[in-house]
Amino acid sequence: MKLAVLLSGRGSNFAAIHEAIAAGALDARIVVVISNRPGAAGLERARQWGYDAHAIDHRAYPSRAAHEEEVQRILAEHEPDFIALAGYMRLLSPAFVAAWPHRIVNIHPSLLPAFPGTDAQAQAVAYGVKVSGCTVHFVDENLDAGPIIVQRAVPVRDDDDADSRAARILAQEHVAYIDALRILAGGGWRVEGRRVVVG
Ligand code: GRF
């Protein structure tokens, strides 16, 4: 399974994927890493690890379409089976999503459909939920809304602050992302309406 990774920040989910592959726990190959932020720590890690790593700064393009065209050009050179969004903080246009049906995967730090959008952990704290978690899902044309591949629950503790909660969810994200990619790599899955059915 050839993976493209798109990120914007520290890249801990990218690192988890890298480590799972290196440890033989995930049968995949990262063929390209793209960041829309040139200073992203994840991009630096990608370079250190010897990946084909590209900064495609969205601010240098006149429109979302122009930026996506360049991202698509780089992706096309590598023919990934799946595109893993790992903290990629750009909305993808419907045209981009339509070009990769059920082949773009995202991780979100809440149990969707609760708390889509930014600051999901803080939204969960403010709402007062007792269980939070993370979701790996296919990307469709709506925000944080595509068919769910894997979810992991994280109990909320009364003594949690936003940072400790986010850290405990992040640890589960790293497990969930590998589980989801393993499902995709294994084949034998299908999407029935909103449901991802395995086996
Ligand atoms: C994660 O919390 C992920 O769920 C969200 O963005 C964050 C990325 O973290 N989409 P990292 O860059 O993978 O460390």
Side-chain angles (χ1 to χ4, degrees):
M1 176 171 72
K2 294 200 281 179
L3 289 177
V5 176
L6 270 54
L7 54 78
S8 303
R10 76 193 147 184
S12 72
N13 280 287
F14 158 56
I17 297 168
H18 163 83
E19 281 156 18
I21 294 170
L26 175 65
D27 189 12
R29 190 156 58 90
I30 295 172
V31 292
V32 65
V33 179
I34 297 172
S35 173
N36 65 308
R37 294 197 182 278
L43 192 61
E44 187 51 39
R45 293 201 219 206
R47 291 194 176 116
Q48 282 167 7
W49 288 332
Y51 289 115
D52 188 3
H54 299 258
I56 307 178
D57 188 345
H58 61 278
R59 293 166 303 190
Y61 294 82
S63 64
R64 183 177 303 275
H67 178 251
E68 287 189 349
E69 202 176 300
E70 180 60 8
V71 174
Q72 291 279 31
R73 193 184 67 74
I74 302 288
L75 288 173
E77 285 176 3
H78 295 274
E79 300 185 333
D81 296 302
F82 293 97
I83 299 167
L85 307 185
Y88 187 63
M89 301 303 285
R90 295 282 295 170
L91 281 177
L92 298 175
S93 71
F96 190 107
V97 173
W100 303 92
H102 294 151
R103 289 171 65 194
I104 309 175
V105 184
N106 183 43
I107 184 142
H108 183 77
S110 76
L111 292 175
L112 290 171
F115 314 125
T118 53
D119 272 337
Q121 300 97 330
Q123 290 184 55
V125 173
Y127 197 92
V129 296
K130 299 298 186 190
V131 179
S132 189
C134 59
T135 303
V136 185
H137 63 94
F138 285 118
V139 173
D140 68 9
E141 62 284 1
N142 298 309
L143 179 67
D144 298 329
I148 291 168
I149 307 166
V150 167
Q151 290 187 303
R152 288 182 76 86
V154 176
V156 172
R157 293 189 197 145
D158 287 342
D159 61 352
D160 264 344
D161 59 25
D163 286 347
S164 65
R165 176 100 40 97
R168 288 194 298 117
I169 292 175
L170 190 65
Q172 294 307 310
E173 290 185 33
H174 298 160
V175 178
Y177 221 151
I178 305 312
D179 284 351
L181 292 174
R182 227 187 263 128
I183 287 170
L184 298 183
W189 56 271
R190 61 194 186 282
V191 182
E192 291 179 357
R194 284 208 48 86
R195 296 176 61 228
V196 177
V197 181
V198 182

